[in-house]
Amino acid sequence: MASSSAAEPGARLSDRTRRSPLGLRAMVLLMHVVFVGAVFLLDSTLDRRIHEEPWYIGVYGVLVLITLAQYFYTAGSSPGYVIDAMQASGGMHATFINTATLSKQSSSKHGSLKSSTNRPDLEKLRPMSSSSSWLHQIVDLYPPGSSNRDWTCQYCKIIQPPRTRHCHDCDKCVLQFDHHCVWLGTCIGKKNHCRFWWYIFEESILSTWTVALYIESLHLDIEKVWWKDFIGVILLAILIFILMFLLLLLMFHTYIALTNQTTYEVARRKRIFYLRGIPDRVHPFSKGICRNIYDFCFTRENGFVLEAVPPIEELEARAAPYTCRDLFCCRCC
């Protein structure tokens, strides 16, 4: 009896987990239909405007479709799991980068992660085990003197590269973990952070345009039923709140993209062992704005790139105040 009762909540939880992404996506689709459809319901002049300026409503409709497509594309994308990087290392699609070397050389040198584990063994790899070759590769990414207890995930028992965290919702370790997005039903990490940025960018533009249409419909000098204005005001208030949240989210993720940080690193900086003691104004993984943007937008197509924690000497040099020569040489870029 006890075992069956204990298994029943677990089964319900598992079913809820499988159903939740579909329910979330249906809810997002419904919200877009409600807010966009209400514009045409409240504004009786839109029919005339469609015939006079078809391009205006046409562009708006295309933006709605692009935003929804970007949502589903991001929600269905992989954030980049450690277990996938371990398997990719066997096929030599994973590389590690020493950020100290990158900052001193104009052309970076990437070391291929070679694995002595053959493909059949990798396919049988379980979260509870990790190959010795993977351990040797990860050791070089951490500062000297670090303990392997700090690198090992206490849940799936695999060796984590820097900037990795175990997600309890996905039950996997995510590379360059940013956060688990409830709205999308997936983690945001190294592989899909750029897609997430484009989604909130498009959603912000769509919300701004929709707010403008709501305000325009409420200012129409025509006789309308009272309930239309009432519904319009309520929807407008909700939409303005959503827009403010989206704009703040967009600005924050633009900032962390430019400085090569993650939400988790910003929020838990003092709890991450290899970031303790680093001044707040120093971004240890930043390679300059231009390189950060390139890595943020394009490196997800080049396999799994694992970054090393820079040595303390480089971090102390970055903490030095900017001089006129630094500004002239574009040190921040």
Side-chain angles (χ1 to χ4, degrees):
M1 290 291 290
S3 59
S4 62
S5 61
E8 189 176 351
R12 288 199 300 266
L13 179 62
S14 176
D15 292 341
R16 187 167 64 251
T17 304
R18 286 195 295 266
R19 288 196 301 264
S20 58
L22 183 61
L24 278 171
R25 292 163 195 176
M27 184 182 69
V28 170
L29 183 61
L30 179 62
M31 286 183 64
H32 282 80
V33 170
V34 169
F35 281 103
V36 174
V39 173
F40 294 88
L41 176 66
L42 299 174
D43 192 348
S44 56
T45 64
L46 275 181
D47 291 336
R48 175 177 53 83
R49 193 168 185 176
I50 290 174
H51 292 88
E52 294 178 354
E53 300 175 332
W55 61 269
Y56 183 81
I57 301 300
V59 172
Y60 179 73
V62 169
L63 179 60
V64 173
L65 294 177
I66 290 176
T67 303
L68 286 173
Q70 185 68 34
Y71 169 81
F72 288 108
Y73 179 55
T74 307
S77 62
S78 169
Y81 298 113
V82 173
I83 192 69
D84 296 330
M86 294 175 70
Q87 294 175 353
S89 68
M92 298 177 66
H93 296 298
T95 59
F96 70 91
I97 291 180
N98 189 321
T99 53
T101 304
L102 282 175
S103 64
K104 295 177 182 177
Q105 298 180 358
S106 57
S107 61
S108 62
K109 296 181 180 179
H110 302 274
S112 295
L113 292 183
K114 300 179 181 178
S115 176
S116 59
T117 310
N118 54 28
R119 185 171 296 275
D121 290 338
L122 284 171
E123 290 176 353
K124 296 176 183 178
L125 187 65
R126 295 183 179 181
M128 293 298 292
S129 64
S130 60
S131 64
S132 59
S133 61
W134 177 257
L135 174 61
H136 293 321
Q137 295 155 11
I138 301 304
V139 166
D140 295 332
L141 302 178
Y142 283 101
S146 302
S147 170
N148 60 357
R149 293 180 60 185
D150 296 323
W151 318 333
T152 307
C153 175
Q154 59 179 332
Y155 300 100
C156 48
K157 306 302 180 186
I158 61 176
I159 306 299
Q160 296 179 330
R163 317 191 72 185
T164 301
R165 184 176 183 269
H166 184 89
C167 175
H168 297 282
D169 296 282
C170 298
D171 198 25
K172 291 182 181 179
C173 288
V174 179
L175 293 167
Q176 204 164 315
F177 176 83
D178 189 86
H179 69 286
H180 184 88
C181 183
V182 181
W183 189 248
L184 290 167
T186 187
C187 273
I188 304 301
K190 188 173 189 65
K191 288 285 189 179
N192 63 355
H193 200 168
C194 182
R195 298 170 187 172
F196 175 74
W197 187 92
W198 277 109
Y199 166 65
I200 55 179
F201 175 73
E202 293 163 8
E203 197 73 78
S204 299
I205 296 177
L206 177 61
S207 299
T208 303
W209 198 337
T210 309
V211 165
L213 290 175
Y214 271 96
I215 294 175
E216 188 178 343
S217 68
L218 290 174
H219 278 81
L220 287 176
D221 192 16
I222 57 175
E223 189 174 339
K224 290 184 292 184
V225 219
W226 67 270
W227 59 267
K228 285 190 175 183
D229 282 341
F230 179 72
I231 293 176
V233 169
I234 292 177
L235 292 178
L236 178 61
I238 298 173
L239 198 55
I240 289 175
F241 175 78
I242 294 174
L243 177 60
M244 291 173 61
F245 175 76
L246 284 171
L247 292 175
L248 290 173
L249 191 65
L250 179 64
M251 288 188 291
F252 175 73
H253 279 273
T254 302
Y255 162 71
I256 62 176
L258 294 176
T259 55
N260 195 9
Q261 299 184 89
T262 64
T263 302
Y264 178 71
E265 290 170 347
V266 172
R268 301 294 181 91
R269 188 181 179 104
K270 298 186 183 302
R271 295 189 179 185
I272 302 174
F273 77 95
Y274 52 83
L275 297 181
R276 292 172 193 157
I278 300 176
D280 292 339
R281 62 184 178 182
V282 175
H283 310 305
F285 298 102
S286 177
K287 310 177 190 72
I289 294 176
C290 297
R291 182 57 188 267
N292 291 340
I293 294 174
Y294 176 82
D295 289 347
F296 183 78
C297 296
F298 300 110
T299 55
R300 69 175 186 273
E301 306 299 336
N302 300 329
F304 296 90
V305 180
L306 310 178
E307 299 175 89
V309 180
I312 190 63
E313 294 81 8
E314 180 187 345
L315 297 176
E316 289 175 352
R318 291 190 197 178
Y322 276 75
T323 63
C324 295
R325 183 176 179 276
D326 293 330
L327 296 175
F328 181 75
C329 298
C330 298
R331 173 180 158 190
C332 62
C333 298

